[in-house]
Amino acid sequence: FPSHDRHDTGWNIGVYNRKGELILVVEIKNKLHTSSEWVTKFRRNIFAHGLLPKVPYFLMVFLDKFYLWTDQEARLDESEPSYVIDANPIFQPYFEKAGIKNEQQISEESLELIFSSWLTTILYLKGISNEVESQQWLIDSGLYAAIAGGSLHYEVVA
C-alpha cells in the first residue's frame, strides 16, 4: 500500500460544517482502476495506524472513481464503501479546461487541486440540481446537506 510520506495525518482534505465540526475527510490518490476490495483494505490500513478521526463521512478520490463511506460505515474500519461514484463526469470538464488528455499524466497535487475546485463549488452552491445524475449521490448520502456552507481545509504536515 502507498505510504503516507506527504501527510502525517493520513488524509489530504478536511471539510468542516457551518458549526466548525469536522464532517468529511478526503484521501486523494492519482490511481486508476481501483476496486472496492482494494480501497477497503487500503482504508483499513489507514485506520490501523490510527490516522483517521471518527467522522460521519470518509471519501477516497481516485482518477476514475470516488468511494464514500457514510455514518456508521465511516466509523468502521472493515466496511465496504456506501457509494461507488464514477468520477469521469465530475473531473472531465476540469481535465478539458486544463488541456489534460490522458489522466494518467496528472500528478496527485494537480488531482487534489481539481477535486478541491469541484468541492468548493459544491460547498457554496445555493442548491444542488436533482437532474444532474453525477451529483445525485451527494443528496442521497446526506453529504451535501452536511457540508453545504462549510469550509475546506488542506491537511499539512506539521
Side-chain angles (χ1 to χ4, degrees), residues 5-72:
D5 50 14
R6 255 184 80 220
H7 302 281
D8 286 346
T9 54
W11 72 88
N12 301 86
I13 295 172
V15 179
Y16 295 79
N17 66 10
R18 285 189 207 92
K19 297 179 197 157
E21 300 161 328
L22 183 62
I23 293 294
L24 167 69
V25 165
V26 183
E27 173 72 22
I28 299 170
K29 294 283 172 217
N30 64 338
K31 282 179 71 66
L32 280 166
H33 314 300
T34 54
S35 66
S36 288
E37 197 176 79
W38 185 88
V39 297
T40 300
K41 285 180 185 161
F42 180 53
R43 186 171 166 272
R44 186 177 62 220
N45 193 36
I46 296 171
F47 262 104
H49 290 94
L51 298 171
L52 283 182
K54 301 280 189 222
V55 291
Y57 295 95
F58 178 72
L59 183 66
M60 292 189 88
V61 173
F62 297 93
L63 287 164
D64 53 352
K65 284 188 193 130
F66 293 178
Y67 297 91
L68 178 68
W69 284 262
T70 63
D71 299 325
Q72 293 310 312

Side-chain angles (χ1 to χ4, degrees), residues 63-91:
L63 287 164
D64 53 352
K65 284 188 193 130
F66 293 178
Y67 297 91
L68 178 68
W69 284 262
T70 63
D71 299 325
Q72 293 310 312
E73 285 77 32
R75 294 180 176 89
L76 300 171
D77 57 356
E78 297 285 333
S79 66
E80 293 272 314
S82 312
Y83 294 85
V84 178
I85 300 110
D86 178 5
N88 291 316
I90 294 166
F91 284 150

